[in-house]
Amino acid sequence: MSGAESGVPVVGRLAPTPTGFLHLGHAWTFSMAHRRVRECGGRLLLRIEDLDLQRCKEEFVEGALEDFRWLGLDWDGAPEFQSRREELYLDAWRRLRDGGFVYRCGRSRKEMSTLAPHVEEPVFPVEWRGSVEEARCHETPSGWNWRFRVPDGRRVVFDDQTFGPIEKMAQKDFGDFLVWNRDGIPSYELAVVVDDLAMGITEVVRGADLLTSTARQLLLYEALGGCAPVWCHCQLVCDAEGRRLAKRSGGLALRELRRRGMSPAEVLELAAAGVVNPC
Ligand code: GLU
């Protein structure tokens, strides 16, 4: 059931990460987010996901806004910037610590990658877990990685507007995941859930590459005591070689297509021709 069908006013969001220029896949996803909200008279908020200050650039923020305008995607109110919301994330971290949901983790990315060298995101081994009791001795997350302790063998099920029922198993599809990074910033998973809750988001539209993240995020909703939104994951757009688009797929950047004289409608047609199911 969508938010509109349930009678709750729909609040959606556009949430670009300004680490590069938007490409065809973004046009597809963001247009879907916009269309679904506008069709039911809901509100659409804009959130710039700029927590990674090393990789995010002002140029890409400006670029995303320009591309949205060109595509005809408008939003309501002033944009929010994740980089200005640290207090909210810290508050959520304290609640997770107090609730016994997180622990300090000394394992490095290198150690993780030696577990399964060819796997993008290996499942964190339960033997490497830290103590949620010890976590209570920390006033702040500072200086450490912090992980969410995923309930053993937990089956997370949700209904997706595109793909129908989705099931992900803890310790098989995903393991204990980061909520805070040693370099002082909250993880994507934590920041997104905290913001979607604080901004009253009722509907999340994003790429199908984030289906497993949704399972993790549902556990955070549960731990933080919030109501999860309606999920709509969009099929991914691939390039001519069948590879998923990345910000480095420069040739399919919206500004490049625009420079070649394509119209927004032609861009969306091209995207529609390239959509594939998630791997
Ligand atoms: N910022 C993410 C992106 O640009 C989207 C995150 C989300 O929608 O949850 O891919």
Side-chain angles (χ1 to χ4, degrees):
M1 189 166 54
S2 73
E5 285 158 5
S6 67
V8 177
V10 172
V11 186
R13 46 41 161 210
L14 304 172
T17 303
T19 49
F21 290 118
L22 301 188
H23 57 57
L24 204 53
H26 295 112
W28 182 248
T29 309
F30 290 130
S31 297
M32 173 86 83
H34 183 268
R35 188 171 66 242
R36 286 179 56 98
V37 167
R38 291 299 183 228
E39 269 174 9
C40 65
R43 277 170 59 72
L44 188 65
L45 307 180
L46 173 61
R47 181 172 76 227
I48 306 294
E49 304 211 319
D50 59 346
L51 280 173
D52 184 347
L53 290 174
Q54 306 283 333
R55 294 172 59 227
C56 292
K57 297 206 161 54
E58 184 55 37
E59 174 192 8
F60 299 134
V61 176
E62 293 305 324
L65 301 190
E66 195 183 299
D67 290 341
F68 285 158
R69 289 191 191 103
W70 179 71
L71 286 166
L73 309 182
D74 62 340
W75 59 90
D76 301 301
E80 294 284 353
F81 289 82
Q82 287 192 324
S83 56
R84 301 177 195 163
R85 297 165 69 83
E86 198 198 4
E87 248 335 289
L88 278 180
Y89 309 133
L90 273 174
D91 181 59
W93 174 82
R94 283 184 213 109
R95 283 158 58 206
L96 293 173
R97 173 203 60 190
D98 294 348
F101 291 107
V102 292
Y103 60 85
R104 185 169 63 105
C105 172
R107 299 286 175 170
S108 64
R109 206 167 282 169
K110 195 156 164 230
E111 275 174 289
M112 279 295 283
S113 63
T114 54
L115 278 178
H118 305 297
V119 178
E120 203 180 316
E121 260 183 287
V123 173
F124 189 79
V126 288
E127 308 79 55
W128 286 6
R129 271 184 177 152
S131 153
V132 295
E133 280 77 38
E134 189 276 340
R136 297 200 172 96
C137 310
H138 296 261
E139 278 300 309
T140 71
S142 143
W144 291 95
N145 283 327
W146 289 80
R147 284 183 189 270
F148 185 90
R149 191 185 198 285
V150 168
D152 289 330
R154 175 70 187 273
R155 189 170 146 257
V156 181
V157 185
F158 60 94
D159 238 323
D160 185 78
Q161 298 286 302
T162 309
F163 297 100
I166 300 283
E167 178 179 309
K168 299 281 175 189
M169 292 292 291
Q171 277 84 42
K172 175 175 158 282
D173 297 313
F174 66 100
D176 292 0
F177 56 89
L178 286 175
V179 293
W180 208 277
N181 292 296
R182 193 196 310 266
D183 49 12
I185 54 173
S187 71
Y188 156 71
E189 312 288 4
L190 181 65
V192 160
V193 170
V194 167
D195 284 335
D196 284 341
L197 277 171
M199 293 164 72
I201 301 298
T202 65
E203 167 167 306
V204 167
V205 179
R206 60 186 177 201
D209 51 326
L210 291 169
L211 280 164
T212 306
S213 275
T214 298
R216 298 185 190 106
Q217 291 174 22
L218 279 165
L219 296 177
L220 285 174
Y221 275 96
E222 215 173 88
L224 293 169
C227 185
V230 167
W231 306 104
C232 177
H233 291 81
C234 298
Q235 292 178 327
L236 301 177
V237 178
C238 287
D239 63 13
E241 282 79 48
R243 283 179 313 225
R244 218 180 90 195
L245 298 188
K247 294 228 168 80
R248 58 187 174 278
S249 317
L252 294 171
L254 293 181
R255 58 199 42 234
E256 172 59 20
L257 299 174
R258 186 163 81 215
R259 201 189 55 78
R260 287 191 224 151
M262 286 183 86
S263 70
E266 285 167 335
V267 160
L268 290 180
E269 259 169 50
L270 190 63
V275 293
V276 294
N277 284 315
C279 320

